[in-house]
Amino acid sequence: GDDPRAAEDHAWYFDNSDEGQADVGQKAVNPFGLHDMAGNVAEWTVSQHTEDYSEFAARSPLNAIDVVKWPETGSNCVVRGGHWQDDVSQLRPAARLASDDEEWKISDPSYPLSPWWFTDDPARGVGFRIFRSLEPLDDDLIARFWEPNAADTKFDIQIRLDAGHGIRGLVYRELPQAVNRPAN
């Protein structure tokens, strides 16, 4: 909502978080029946960060796919919505933070250093949400969400795979059968 005094009832933030993420569902729901859409963890998005977001946000009617700025580089995505370390003023969907800040990568434990490993603040307050489109999406559009599309990210991944760091494939090979199994 628009009243910062209501934040205590709806969100986890710096003043009430006890310095960590909280279990979902302990605060009041929003008008759509969803918990923790502001605060607690900030949302990692697929969108590339831009200094001026108004070109995307001004579109009407607003379609979520139309406002995605598909990444051209592997870093500098948008994190939004505020998290448990933020002040109340940052607990809103329009609060945007770029992910290319070097402070996020100070304690990278990977060797060679990873272009996408975020271990330091503000990264500890980042999460993600999974959404489902009201209308079915075509396979090519779905792939844009799941597959890396920035050339530098594809290059970094291939170098690591060639060096023997990881493999491509399902972590749980039985997953496709489990997904298609009828519910009991």
Side-chain angles (χ1 to χ4, degrees), residues 23-93:
D23 290 340
V24 174
Q26 298 182 61
K27 296 290 185 175
V29 299
N30 71 9
F32 300 103
L34 302 172
H35 290 272
D36 296 316
M37 295 304 292
N40 205 23
V41 295
E43 179 180 0
W44 180 272
T45 73
V46 71
S47 291
Q48 184 86 29
H49 185 268
T50 60
E51 289 301 319
D52 182 17
Y53 188 68
S54 61
E55 100 180 66
F56 297 100
R59 296 180 184 169
S60 182
L62 186 63
N63 179 331
I65 301 299
D66 293 339
V67 296
V68 171
K69 167 83 168 99
W70 295 101
E72 297 168 9
T73 63
S75 61
N76 202 19
C77 286
V78 174
V79 175
R80 63 176 49 217
H83 54 80
W84 59 271
Q85 294 174 315
D86 283 332
D87 292 324
V88 170
S89 63
Q90 295 299 306
L91 305 182
R92 55 194 189 90

